[in-house]
Amino acid sequence: MADASAVAVRESFVSAAYAGEELDSLATWPTVEGGLWVIATAKASHRLKVFDGDTGRWLRDVGGRGTEPGQFNRPNGIAVHGDLLFVVERDNRRVQVLSLPGFEPVGQFGHAELQSPYGLWLHETAPGELEVFVTDSFMLGERFDVVPPWSQLDQRVRRYRVSLDGAGRLAAHPAGSFGSTQPDTALRMVESIAGDPATGRLLVADEDRRHRSTLYEYRLDGSATGRRLPGAGFGAEAEGIALWSCPDDGGYWVAVDQLMPLAQFHLFQRGDLTPAGSFRGETVSYTDGIALHAAPTRAFPGGVLYAVHADSAVAAFDLRGVVDGLDLDRGCVE
């Protein structure tokens, strides 16, 4: 869905490029000093890269290839809850949990069930208790490019119950899997996933352009609604998904169309999922992951959207510029 009407919103910064790292997904963490970290997974170097969220300056690298706690093998999805960092590792077939700011290993889970995990979304169901959704895009064939039969697609999203006790010990328990086995709503190739507890909605990106690259709507109980966004599909691969929560339960969904030479960011109304406009930057291309930080920062008093650029850099869009460019609700940035 290359949108010819997409407006231009200039990037506030694009970090230095780190060729060969293959940056994938992003998460943010507010520091105790009042700053903001942007943490990126680097698939090819098997580590995490940490950037300053106000300037894009590289701060540090974490980890390296391996199977031990604190090491990674093809890290993909990443998410933060409080001071806990969750990292999905495709080739270690696990979700690893670390404590911030020191990145100390806390625990891991999923190895017994996951086959080729990619993205995740965290849902706090009670104080100290999380429901973790992990996409599992296992494929068949010699080149791992064959979508499994319909009967196996009910394993496309794995669910876990995760808790942390007073002593800092992590406990995780499998809570089943889901995914439609019907041709019109089945999840063929999955990566990004995000949810909205207020509306009971999950959005899952299906990247299989051989069929249709789109966002499928599911309920939090794992049932498919039959709806997809947009109806015609994306022009390239449907990638990062983020919920932009605004006052009075308003806001927008943001999703990336991984186009070249310029990626496009499509917005949908939080409530009814109708299109709210599209924008592109002046530089950002071939975007995988995004992270939306709606709270004020030193450099971005109205919040900021971060996006991976060309597998090698991190870019920032001031949300005030997005609101002005698309004539969105100004209450979202005030």
Side-chain angles (χ1 to χ4, degrees), residues 46-69:
H46 310 283
R47 59 188 178 185
L48 309 178
K49 297 190 78 68
V50 185
F51 299 86
D52 184 289
D54 285 323
T55 66
R57 180 173 61 91
W58 170 82
L59 299 176
R60 63 179 293 193
D61 291 334
V62 178
R65 189 169 192 169
T67 60
E68 296 300 315

Side-chain angles (χ1 to χ4, degrees), residues 167-189:
R169 291 185 294 262
L170 184 82
H173 304 282
S177 66
F178 62 86
S180 171
T181 57
Q182 301 301 311
D184 287 344
T185 51
L187 301 170
R188 289 165 167 80
M189 294 173 59

Side-chain angles (χ1 to χ4, degrees), residues 60-313:
R60 63 179 293 193
D61 291 334
V62 178
R65 189 169 192 169
T67 60
E68 296 300 315
Q71 297 178 326
F72 307 99
N73 196 350
R74 199 73 177 178
N76 286 279
I78 188 169
V80 167
H81 176 76
D83 292 335
L84 294 179
L85 178 69
F86 291 70
V87 182
V88 177
E89 300 173 64
R90 189 194 70 181
D91 291 355
N92 275 337
R93 295 168 50 196
R94 68 184 181 185
V95 179
Q96 190 170 177
V97 185
L98 305 101
S99 177
L100 297 169
F103 295 91
E104 297 91 356
V106 174
Q108 55 184 271
F109 60 91
H111 186 270
E113 303 83 29
L114 297 170
Q115 300 181 62
S116 188
Y118 278 84
L120 80 166
W121 177 64
L122 313 178
H123 173 212
E124 185 175 34
T125 56
E129 297 184 6
L130 298 175
E131 189 172 32
V132 180
F133 297 82
V134 185
T135 56
D136 197 352
S137 201
F138 58 93
M139 302 289 280
L140 305 179
E142 293 183 0
R143 298 183 178 180
F144 300 101
D145 58 356
V146 177
V147 175
W150 305 118
S151 61
Q152 295 183 26
L153 295 183
D154 61 355
Q155 303 171 55
R156 273 301 186 235
V157 182
R158 294 279 179 183
R159 194 194 312 256
Y160 294 88
R161 305 287 185 187
V162 176
S163 61
L164 196 69
D165 66 19
R169 291 185 294 262
L170 184 82
H173 304 282
S177 66
F178 62 86
S180 171
T181 57
Q182 301 301 311
D184 287 344
T185 51
L187 301 170
R188 289 165 167 80
M189 294 173 59
V190 292
E191 184 167 348
S192 300
I193 182 172
D196 182 3
T199 60
R201 174 179 290 139
L202 281 170
L203 291 184
V204 187
D206 192 322
E207 301 179 352
D208 192 357
R209 297 178 63 189
R210 297 168 298 185
H211 175 252
R212 182 190 299 112
S213 183
T214 190
L215 304 181
Y216 283 102
E217 182 190 28
Y218 274 69
R219 301 181 183 91
L220 292 185
D221 64 6
S223 59
T225 68
R227 187 173 186 179
R228 61 178 183 263
L229 302 175
F234 283 57
E237 291 183 358
E239 285 288 349
I241 311 169
L243 177 63
W244 182 0
S245 297
C246 298
D248 301 321
D249 293 327
Y252 306 93
W253 285 97
V254 184
V256 180
D257 201 339
Q258 197 185 49
L259 292 163
M260 297 179 69
L262 293 174
Q264 290 193 1
F265 300 82
H266 303 305
L267 278 72
F268 305 92
Q269 297 285 350
R270 180 182 186 181
D272 61 10
L273 301 181
T274 55
S278 302
F279 75 92
R280 63 183 184 277
E282 295 182 351
T283 302
V284 169
S285 176
Y286 201 66
T287 293
D288 276 301
I290 62 175
L292 195 145
H293 187 81
T297 79
R298 293 166 179 163
F300 303 104
V304 53
L305 175 69
Y306 298 102
V308 170
H309 166 55
D311 291 343
S312 62

